[in-house]
Amino acid sequence: MAWSWRLEKADGRTIGMSEETFSTQADAESWLGENWRGLRAEEVDKVTLLDGDSVVYGMSLHDPE
């Protein structure tokens, strides 16, 4: 399966997908580590990692309160 990131607003609305897909979870996570600041600048609030159509986990791009 291909790994990808679903880009979301704080209320859970999907606002897009990562432009790339990845062959491994580690590659997807590395991409997020390199790009999360740019996503925040584009007003993405959280992301969900997908393995094909299956949700692996989600996380906020905001600092913990």
Side-chain angles (χ1 to χ4, degrees), residues 7-19:
L7 313 176
E8 303 171 353
K9 295 301 285 177
D11 64 6
R13 274 183 300 127
T14 299
I15 57 172
M17 298 292 294
S18 56
E19 293 180 8

Side-chain angles (χ1 to χ4, degrees), residues 1-54:
M1 285 294 200
W3 297 79
S4 60
W5 291 101
R6 185 172 61 212
L7 313 176
E8 303 171 353
K9 295 301 285 177
D11 64 6
R13 274 183 300 127
T14 299
I15 57 172
M17 298 292 294
S18 56
E19 293 180 8
E20 298 180 47
T21 57
F22 309 92
S23 58
T24 67
Q25 181 175 350
D27 289 343
E29 290 169 340
S30 291
W31 177 88
L32 183 62
E34 295 169 5
N35 291 282
W36 71 270
R37 288 178 186 86
L39 294 172
R40 281 293 306 127
E42 295 172 12
E43 299 186 358
V44 175
D45 295 311
K46 60 185 188 175
V47 293
T48 299
L49 181 61
L50 303 172
D51 180 6
D53 292 329
S54 300

